[in-house]
Amino acid sequence: MSYFSKLRNVRNILSCTMHCGRYSSPSESPEQLSQVLNKHLLERINTFGPLTVAEYMKECLSNPLYGYYNTHSVFGKSGDFTTSPEICQIFGEVFSKFPDIYSTLSIHLVEISQSMQQTQKQTIEKTLSCLDNKPPLIFWHTDLRQVPEKFSFFIGHEFFDVLPVHCFQLVPNLSNRNSVEICPDMICITQLLCKRINKTGGSALLIDYGHEGEKGDTFRGFHKHSVCNPLINPGHTDLTCDVDFSILCQAVKNSDAKVKLHGPVTQAYFLINMGLFTRLKVLLSKCESEQQKDELFSACEILVTNEQMGSRFKVVAITPELESDSVGCEQQLPGFTPLSGTPYAQPNSV
């Protein structure tokens, strides 16, 4: 390609970007925005060469003008996927076993999408309006580093799976895996969490669908609750990869922070040992009809059965390292150790 051809393509890329920013409006459909993004990506490839998978994911998901999370309502039946908190109230309730600390609590959400921030704000305000106590202060950030360095509990649910990954094809006969996916952002964020916990205290709980190093190519798209080609309709399709928890755990160990890693365990193991069955029994006793009981029981099945989310999702926690850890006394962390009376004794037996 000649110098002038490249210059023309650069001009087209800038023109495309300016067009989106200046003339796009709420009346434009996601399909129309996808076509503009597709043109932008093609111009970029023609000018600068092939895109990495990570660059493609970043453009499609977080582009401020036409990225998926800035232009779509993604949750629920009308969206492209459903998350655990939407499926059953028990999922959220097992995390609420804390004393009444609302008066001293502040909530900091890290979210890059302006539209998602608005959705979160509306949902939280509706929930807090039902509380008798003074609601906590709530802040939004676009980067974890913006969160004040104070004693904190970090919760990441389906957070890492949308971060851009680099895909590598492995040389034959050197590994049992044909390919590997590396997410630099996940490594950096995990190690930042470790350093924060080491410095200011607190802990982190991370839940995501993933594996422990046995899978290779997991890059895929999601549209209307079905898996689809990730290269079709850019910006109109959710893109995701399974989280490689073996890499996440190695990032914790390499962080040089004095922290303790718990897990990974399956979501089923974690929820059951956090008292899911006990809470289910209470809620079933309050149901007013057999239909309500069936719906509640079915929702719990989705969370804990192997055929659904039970083993597909993994859970890890990061806590400060205690002096007792150095003498062989393991921390007994709820959800990561067997609860008396539960049928599952091993983290991966569910």
Side-chain angles (χ1 to χ4, degrees):
M1 181 182 292
S2 69
Y3 170 79
F4 290 104
S5 296
K6 286 189 176 182
L7 189 61
R8 187 180 300 111
N9 278 336
V10 171
R11 183 193 64 189
N12 290 339
I13 292 174
L14 294 175
S15 175
C16 174
T17 304
M18 292 175 65
H19 170 80
C20 291
R22 185 175 299 171
Y23 298 112
S24 61
S25 68
S27 62
E28 288 186 288
S29 68
E31 291 82 1
Q32 290 173 317
L33 292 176
S34 177
Q35 292 174 4
V36 178
L37 177 57
N38 188 66
K39 179 181 177 181
H40 169 69
L41 292 171
L42 290 174
E43 294 282 6
R44 180 174 169 180
I45 291 171
N46 288 334
T47 304
F48 301 110
L51 292 172
T52 65
V53 173
E55 291 171 329
Y56 177 77
M57 288 185 69
K58 187 174 182 179
E59 283 281 3
C60 292
L61 295 178
S62 58
N63 186 292
L65 297 177
Y66 33 68
Y68 175 78
Y69 283 105
N70 288 308
T71 59
H72 285 69
S73 176
V74 301
F75 296 115
K77 294 181 180 179
S78 62
D80 292 321
F81 54 83
T82 304
T83 60
S84 298
E86 299 172 272
I87 293 173
C88 184
Q89 68 184 75
I90 297 179
F91 183 87
E93 289 175 347
V94 299
F95 300 106
S96 62
K97 297 180 179 180
F98 296 100
D100 185 6
I101 56 174
Y102 290 109
S103 60
T104 60
L105 180 70
S106 63
I107 299 176
H108 296 260
L109 293 98
V110 179
E111 175 59 64
I112 63 171
S113 167
Q114 292 294 325
S115 60
M116 291 288 287
Q117 286 187 13
Q118 290 301 315
T119 300
Q120 292 164 356
K121 184 177 181 181
Q122 293 169 4
T123 303
I124 292 173
E125 287 179 346
K126 181 179 179 180
T127 302
L128 294 180
S129 65
C130 302
L131 297 176
D132 296 329
N133 300 326
K134 180 181 178 181
L137 297 174
I138 304 175
F139 305 88
W140 273 266
H141 311 278
T142 57
D143 193 305
L144 179 61
R145 290 168 294 187
Q146 298 170 350
V147 178
E149 292 192 8
K150 297 180 180 180
F151 184 92
S152 303
F153 292 106
F154 299 96
I155 299 178
H157 180 256
E158 291 195 45
F159 177 76
F160 288 134
D161 62 89
V162 297
L163 296 180
V165 302
H166 291 287
C167 299
F168 297 92
Q169 192 72 27
L170 300 183
V171 177
N173 302 323
L174 293 183
S175 172
N176 293 326
R177 300 166 69 181
N178 294 324
S179 59
V180 63
E181 295 164 337
I182 306 293
C183 181
D185 288 345
M186 180 187 73
I187 296 172
C188 292
I189 292 172
T190 299
Q191 295 191 333
L192 177 59
L193 287 173
C194 292
K195 293 176 182 178
R196 288 283 299 269
I197 293 169
N198 181 50
K199 181 179 180 180
T200 61
S203 60
L205 184 67
L206 308 172
I207 307 170
D208 227 311
Y209 49 84
H211 58 92
E212 297 182 49
E214 70 274 11
K215 292 185 179 181
D217 182 8
T218 67
F219 178 48
R220 61 198 181 279
F222 263 96
H223 184 65
K224 298 301 180 184
H225 301 272
S226 297
V227 177
C228 63
N229 188 330
L231 302 181
I232 295 178
N233 297 324
H236 188 43
T237 300
D238 182 31
L239 302 180
T240 185
C241 288
D242 282 13
V243 174
D244 190 334
F245 278 86
S246 66
I247 295 177
L248 188 154
C249 293
Q250 193 61 46
V252 174
K253 296 174 183 177
N254 293 340
S255 67
D256 295 327
K258 293 182 179 180
V259 295
K260 175 74 174 179
L261 174 68
H262 306 263
V265 298
T266 65
Q267 176 173 286
Y269 180 89
F270 177 79
L271 293 178
I272 290 171
N273 288 295
M274 285 292 289
L276 178 140
F277 287 151
T278 302
R279 182 57 181 161
L280 174 61
K281 184 177 180 179
V282 172
L283 292 177
L284 287 173
S285 68
K286 296 181 179 180
C287 289
E288 298 178 352
S289 66
E290 289 300 318
Q291 180 180 351
Q292 287 183 340
K293 291 182 179 180
D294 290 341
E295 291 174 351
L296 181 60
F297 197 81
S298 296
C300 284
E301 281 188 319
I302 294 174
L303 294 179
V304 300
T305 58
N306 283 335
E307 295 76 17
Q308 301 284 340
M309 294 179 168
S311 60
R312 181 77 187 279
F313 279 71
K314 304 291 189 296
V315 186
V316 298
I318 305 170
T319 60
E321 187 178 78
L322 304 178
E323 291 185 6
S324 58
D325 294 327
S326 61
V327 294
C329 298
E330 290 290 328
Q331 298 181 39
Q332 299 296 306
L333 199 65
F336 294 87
T337 53
L339 184 67
S340 177
T342 60
Y344 302 112
Q346 299 299 322
N348 296 309
S349 64
V350 179

